[in-house]
Amino acid sequence: MSRSPSGLSTAQRDLLHLMDVRVWKRRPPEEPAAHAEPPPLAPPAISGGFSAHAESAERSAPPAAAPSASPPSPPASPLAAAAGPPELEALKSTVAACTACPLHSGRRQTVFGVGNPNAEWMFVGEGPGEEEDRRGEPFVGRAGKLLDNMLRAMELDRATVYIANIVKCRPPGNRNPSPEEAAACIPYLHRQIELIGPRLIVALGAVAAQRLLDTDQPVGALRGALRRSAALDRPVLATYHPAYLLRSPGQKRKAWDDLQLAMREMEALRAGGG
Ligand code: URA
Ligand code: SF4
């Protein structure tokens, strides 16, 4: 992998750029060489970054579908359609037919999850938005682009990790899923986690963090440290939701700190066989 003089990989530098987290540049070579190690990362100077016009795109409500005609079935994305192990496929089929909560009535299709069925890393969001509902794949809208950049900086991608949501059907108007809806759907996620067996789960945003850790504490209080889900018997790292980071770019640095913490934990888990 290519490393820059600062010790950061190209992908990490990309992320810091894309997340608008600035790093110190090394002195140009013509200046006297300093033998002291340069600071690998700048103090967290963060530019304004993503501008306000981007803010509401991810979660803005489109008009409701015409009630008379059923919407044409959009093609599922190739990644979302990829076959997995039989038990995961069977669970996916069960979810596709689920009517256990009111969210089923507004969906175009269920959004089960994508990625490596043996992933070490699992990323969990709250629920599908408009674009996800259309494509059948989680995190494919604007927030998904930022998530892709976050993954890239961790030297991961969509095919090596597994990405899913607390609820599999889109909440109308992109509101948060209610506690009842989350409770109705979460057994599917628990089973997914059991089948995939990730070493570590990254909870993206308050809904995922609260439901996975079974608490009502705000994400700001849950992030910044590894937690453990007793029910899932594995570590959970809570951080900000990418859609929130698009609205509040000043928090990106904290999210990056969280991801670095998760990467260190993953190294420790691998070393310990966890
Ligand atoms: N936000 C989420 O929480 N999940 C998605 O799949 C997309 C946006
Ligand atoms: Fe079923 Fe979950 Fe969809 Fe509710 S959100 S209908 S529980 S799959």
Side-chain angles (χ1 to χ4, degrees):
M1 124 191 42
S2 65
R3 295 246 167 224
S4 73
S6 66
L8 296 171
S9 73
T10 309
Q12 286 169 328
R13 292 185 64 83
D14 278 355
L15 171 99
L16 295 174
H17 176 68
L18 285 157
M19 286 182 82
D20 296 319
V21 177
R22 295 216 177 116
V23 294
W24 290 114
K25 289 217 172 67
R26 255 200 153 169
R27 270 163 226 242
E30 60 274 16
E31 285 184 27
H35 289 286
E37 273 297 294
L41 278 179
I46 303 177
S47 74
F50 295 96
S51 55
H53 72 263
E55 184 172 316
S56 58
E58 184 65 18
R59 288 258 162 214
S60 63
S68 49
S70 55
S73 237
S77 81
L79 198 56
E87 282 173 300
L88 206 56
E89 282 303 304
L91 184 64
K92 186 176 176 176
S93 302
T94 304
V95 166
C98 179
T99 56
C101 89
L103 294 183
H104 81 271
S105 61
R107 71 184 180 217
R108 283 176 161 124
Q109 59 189 318
T110 52
V111 179
F112 183 66
V114 287
N116 177 357
N118 300 306
E120 294 183 294
W121 291 93
M122 191 148 165
F123 290 76
V124 178
E126 61 193 43
E130 156 71 4
E131 188 65 12
E132 290 78 20
D133 175 68
R134 220 169 51 73
R135 296 196 17 209
E137 181 173 342
F139 284 100
V140 289
R142 274 188 50 79
K145 299 278 179 300
L146 181 53
L147 178 60
D148 284 338
N149 289 335
M150 292 157 78
L151 292 175
R152 214 146 52 88
M154 299 169 81
E155 299 179 347
L156 299 171
D157 61 40
R158 221 166 244 273
T160 51
V161 307
Y162 198 93
I163 306 176
N165 282 307
I166 297 287
V167 294
K168 312 304 191 201
C169 303
R170 181 189 176 212
N174 295 327
R175 62 164 171 76
N176 283 352
S178 71
E180 293 75 22
E181 291 156 355
C185 208
I186 211 163
Y188 294 132
L189 179 63
H190 281 211
R191 182 73 182 132
Q192 256 175 316
I193 292 168
E194 200 171 78
L195 291 171
I196 293 161
R199 289 187 206 264
L200 194 156
I201 300 170
V202 178
L204 299 166
V207 171
Q210 290 169 348
R211 297 290 61 84
L212 288 172
L213 293 166
D214 197 21
T215 173
D216 288 330
Q217 284 188 70
V219 65
L222 295 170
R223 62 155 296 277
L226 254 297
R227 315 258 161 200
R228 193 164 183 88
S229 159
L232 297 167
D233 191 29
R234 64 195 74 231
V236 172
L237 186 281
T239 193
Y240 294 118
H241 194 287
Y244 169 75
L245 294 175
L246 292 176
R247 295 192 296 271
S248 305
Q251 304 287 45
K252 286 177 182 174
R253 178 67 216 209
K254 287 190 200 158
W256 178 232
D257 288 345
D258 292 337
L259 297 178
Q260 287 179 298
L261 179 61
M263 287 156 74
R264 286 195 294 275
E265 178 66 11
M266 181 61 81
E267 287 304 318
L269 289 168
R270 284 178 187 144

